[in-house]
Amino acid sequence: MKLLLLGGTADARKIASVLTAAGIEVIYSIAGLVRKPEMHCAVLSGGFSKRGGLAAYMQTCNIDAILDATHPYAIKMSSQALRVCNELAVKYWRFNRQPWQPREGDQWLSVANWQQLITSCSAYHQPFLTTGQLQQAQLDSIASNSEQVLYRTAAAAQASLAANVKWLKAIGPFDLHSELALLDQYNIDVLICKNAGGIATYAKLVAARHLQIPVIMLARPAPIMQNTADQFSCIETITQAVIDRNESMKSCQ
């Protein structure tokens, strides 16, 4: 089996490692905006537009299946991958790690969309934004209602920064001590984030709990798939499903 693994997350790298060790030919695809990881498989950086599009790339490279382990909020890429797989009659799996759940002491407000988020954060003055890259209008709306905004992303900010926006470039994982110090240093009164799940960036939520800082959390988008049999939230389960299919394909040759 030749597997195209849509990655860019820590979970995706773990999945690639397991499948490569199992003898599956993995092509690990990333956008290439942050860094190119060292992998024991082929790494494809920069997307598919310059390669004629996803469908053309899959046909040219004889891709047998896609495993989509992109970020839970990367709906555009996931929707495209699912559509192309359906068109080409190619197997598609989706890995979506479990969302975070509130614990005792958390002060979380879950919002469904950006308009609700902007409205909710207007009551605060010094937000910590950890929502990834923002559109200009989104960042400006938050900055216009704030005394100071701390804005952290893994790659250079694509939007222009207002005078009251302090930008930090940082890549997780983050530890609790550093997150506590950051919230204290900038007098943060609200944390704004997405419900990404995982452990790499969870420390900020623990820090907010310790300091009794409220959290405004953008809820996850609706799942793109109706077939739940091909959706997984456990690395061991999805890697075993791929390995089993690979063995089945070999037995049919």
Side-chain angles (χ1 to χ4, degrees):
M1 175 193 294
K2 182 182 285 189
L3 177 75
L4 179 60
L5 201 167
L6 305 179
T9 62
D11 294 316
R13 293 191 293 274
K14 292 177 184 177
I15 291 170
S17 178
V18 172
L19 296 179
T20 300
I24 295 173
E25 183 179 357
V26 176
I27 301 174
Y28 184 78
S29 172
I30 54 172
L33 299 176
V34 179
R35 59 188 174 187
K36 187 174 181 179
E38 294 185 6
M39 309 285 290
H40 295 292
C41 62
V43 177
L44 183 71
S45 179
F48 300 98
S49 296
K50 62 184 180 182
R51 297 175 172 90
L54 178 58
Y57 175 82
M58 291 174 64
Q59 291 174 310
T60 300
C61 296
N62 298 314
I63 299 298
D64 295 305
I66 280 184
L67 195 163
D68 179 3
T70 55
H71 194 276
Y73 290 77
I75 291 299
K76 184 177 180 180
M77 183 69 245
S78 294
S79 298
Q80 179 190 13
L82 177 60
R83 175 181 56 79
V84 170
C85 284
N86 287 337
E87 290 173 355
L88 300 180
V90 168
K91 184 68 176 179
Y92 173 90
W93 291 283
R94 174 63 170 144
F95 176 82
N96 228 349
R97 58 182 176 243
Q98 291 284 358
W100 293 316
Q101 300 295 334
R103 298 185 180 183
E104 184 177 354
D106 286 330
Q107 303 175 51
W108 292 8
L109 173 65
S110 180
V111 295
N113 53 54
W114 264 98
Q115 188 54 54
Q116 290 182 13
L117 187 151
I118 291 169
T119 300
S120 299
C121 73
S122 63
Y124 302 95
H125 304 290
Q126 302 200 137
F128 180 23
L129 271 174
T130 64
T131 49
Q133 295 290 347
L134 297 182
Q135 298 175 11
Q136 190 68 56
Q138 293 171 333
L139 184 57
D140 288 346
S141 294
I142 294 174
S144 65
N145 291 315
S146 305
E147 294 177 8
Q148 176 181 271
V149 177
L150 181 61
Y151 178 36
R152 183 170 72 188
T153 60
Q158 296 175 0
S160 299
L161 305 179
N164 64 333
V165 177
K166 169 67 176 178
W167 173 66
L168 293 179
K169 180 181 179 181
I171 303 173
F174 302 102
D175 64 82
L176 178 58
H177 177 77
S178 298
E179 296 292 68
L180 284 168
L182 193 65
L183 295 178
D184 180 65
Q185 177 185 353
Y186 288 95
N187 297 312
I188 299 301
D189 62 358
V190 65
L191 170 64
I192 301 174
C193 65
K194 295 176 178 178
N195 195 337
I199 62 173
T201 61
Y202 184 67
K204 64 189 175 189
L205 295 170
V206 181
R209 184 190 309 141
H210 283 197
L211 298 175
Q212 297 184 315
I213 293 173
V215 177
I216 300 174
M217 189 174 294
L218 186 64
R220 286 192 178 185
I224 64 168
M225 296 178 66
Q226 299 300 319
N227 180 12
T228 57
D230 291 328
Q231 299 183 70
F232 299 84
S233 59
C234 173
I235 290 177
E236 290 77 12
T237 307
I238 194 169
T239 51
Q240 190 59 54
V242 177
I243 291 169
D244 289 346
R245 185 175 180 88
N246 183 56
E247 293 301 317
S248 177
M249 290 175 64
K250 288 195 295 185
S251 67
C252 294
Q253 292 177 350

